[in-house]
Amino acid sequence: MKVITNINQMQSLSCSMQKKGKTIGFAPTMGCLHDGHLSLIRKARRENDYVVISIFVNPTQFGPEEDFNRYPRNFTQDKKLAKLAGVDVIFYPTTQAMYPEGHKSAVCVGDLGDALCGVSRPGHFSAVATVVLKLFNIVSPSVAYFGQKDAQQVMIIKRMVRDLNLPLKIKVLPVVRERDGLAMSSRNSYLRREQRKNAIILYKSLQTAVGMIKSKNKVPREIICLMREMIKSTSGARIDYIKIVNLETLHDVKTVKGCVLICVAVFFGKTHLIDNMIVRV
Ligand code: AMP
């Protein structure tokens, strides 16, 4: 397994792979790898000749009050896990290399970036789309793998690929959970013991919502109301949003029909946790 920090070097390697007709499977990450990341890597390994991951904690997608400085980083452990999972190359650029002096261009994601997490994180999704586009241009993947855990991100990236005619496929893999149902996330390590215990309320409230829909409740207002009660009565939990939205537009649905996305975001202290489930009626 190689670690490449240099952009030109990464680009020429991908270029030579492409020339040989090899497929490149790519998973962009911010490191501190867990089973959620590894599910993407393993899938990429099964489906491609070559597997590249990136590890880059992208500063531009963090707000000034957010956790960029304390975001967990563990490159030594990441290298071990990546190697075991069959990664061929870790692309590990510096911030200076990714954003040299004078960098200005960005991807506009329209109103998709203003919904859900975009309300409390203005500019976040434009920054995510920009760094992902840069990574696509550097790695030239045949297929890029993303987790459904970050539902809004997935939707925005898929739309960018379609809108900008990017020559690759996007594959989305299910949310990987801890035993008790909490969605795996690098940010879970911020949680104190009590917060960690209570954080399963995200999963539980989503399960309740799915149960209501399966027993024929089609009224988002009623479903959200019950979810809100459940989360509000959980010690230490502060709701950011609970939404039932159209999978394509991220607009609130008036009634549950077809395919909808139920998503929830909750603060425990300063830690922002998100989770979601897709329901097909
Ligand atoms: P991150 O390092 O948090 O930027 O995540 C990198 C990739 O891993 C993104 O595509 C995430 O959606 C995906 N990912 C993170 N957590 C999970 C999880 N629990 N299940 C599935 N995919 C995940």
Side-chain angles (χ1 to χ4, degrees):
M1 185 182 75
K2 276 192 192 147
V3 175
I4 297 182
T5 55
N6 182 285
I7 292 179
N8 291 335
Q9 209 181 328
M10 185 70 241
Q11 272 176 324
S12 36
L13 181 68
S14 333
C15 192
S16 73
M17 287 298 142
Q18 275 187 328
K19 276 193 190 136
K20 287 184 196 153
K22 306 278 185 203
T23 60
I24 301 176
F26 175 51
T29 83
M30 298 209 293
C32 203
L33 302 182
H34 52 64
D35 280 344
H37 300 114
L38 295 177
S39 72
L40 309 182
I41 297 173
R42 292 191 187 112
K43 181 84 166 162
R45 180 68 286 164
R46 288 196 294 276
E47 297 185 344
N48 296 276
D49 300 316
Y50 223 67
V51 176
V52 179
I53 68 168
S54 57
I55 296 184
F56 181 59
V57 184
N58 177 34
T60 62
Q61 72 190 60
F62 289 78
E65 302 298 314
E66 291 181 5
D67 55 343
F68 174 69
N69 285 325
R70 65 185 191 117
Y71 192 85
R73 291 158 170 93
N74 191 346
F75 191 62
T76 312
Q77 172 77 351
D78 287 348
K79 265 196 298 195
K80 279 190 202 146
L81 292 173
K83 191 170 178 192
L84 276 174
V87 168
D88 295 302
V89 174
I90 301 181
F91 177 53
Y92 185 54
T94 60
T95 301
Q96 176 55 30
M98 288 296 276
Y99 300 107
E101 193 71 26
H103 180 275
K104 285 194 193 298
S105 309
V107 177
C108 170
V109 297
D111 62 353
L112 295 175
D114 302 331
L116 307 177
C117 285
V119 174
S120 60
R121 307 188 76 185
H124 170 73
F125 288 103
S126 168
V128 169
T130 304
V131 77
V132 169
L133 179 60
K134 283 166 70 66
L135 291 167
F136 285 171
N137 285 333
I138 296 165
V139 174
S140 304
S142 331
V143 188
Y145 297 82
F146 289 86
Q148 179 59 32
K149 154 87 183 350
D150 298 279
Q152 186 172 11
Q153 168 175 291
V154 156
M155 223 241 89
I156 288 172
I157 299 298
K158 276 179 159 175
R159 187 66 74 90
M160 172 178 80
V161 167
R162 199 176 83 189
D163 290 349
L164 304 183
N165 308 98
L166 305 183
L168 75 156
K169 260 202 197 141
I170 299 294
K171 289 206 179 173
V172 183
L173 298 192
V175 181
V176 176
R177 301 179 177 283
E178 302 284 356
R179 270 168 183 234
D180 63 358
L182 177 67
M184 287 193 177
S185 163
S186 310
R187 290 193 168 98
N188 290 350
S189 64
Y190 296 151
L191 299 171
R192 293 170 202 273
R193 189 201 285 255
E194 189 67 10
Q195 293 174 325
R196 167 64 190 82
K197 202 174 89 214
N198 293 339
I200 58 166
I201 195 62
L202 281 86
Y203 177 62
K204 283 194 173 162
S205 67
L206 286 166
Q207 275 188 315
T208 301
V210 172
M212 285 174 87
I213 293 170
K214 290 210 164 127
S215 40
K216 309 269 184 278
N217 190 326
K218 299 213 162 87
V219 189
R221 194 171 28 84
E222 290 173 14
I223 300 166
I224 290 171
C225 187
L226 184 57
M227 292 176 76
R228 182 172 296 120
E229 285 315 310
M230 289 178 74
I231 300 173
K232 265 170 75 178
S233 59
T234 302
S235 159
R238 184 164 59 83
I239 297 170
D240 178 9
Y241 62 80
I242 306 170
K243 294 271 186 183
I244 303 183
V245 298
N246 176 289
L247 216 47
E248 290 285 309
T249 62
L250 302 181
H251 291 165
D252 293 350
V253 295
K254 292 204 171 66
T255 173
V256 177
K257 63 170 189 242
C259 210
V260 295
L261 176 71
I262 316 171
C263 34
V264 48
V266 176
F267 283 100
F268 281 88
K270 281 188 171 176
T271 306
H272 190 244
L273 299 180
I274 55 171
D275 202 348
N276 68 86
M277 286 185 188
I278 295 173
V279 195
R280 288 182 184 82
V281 181

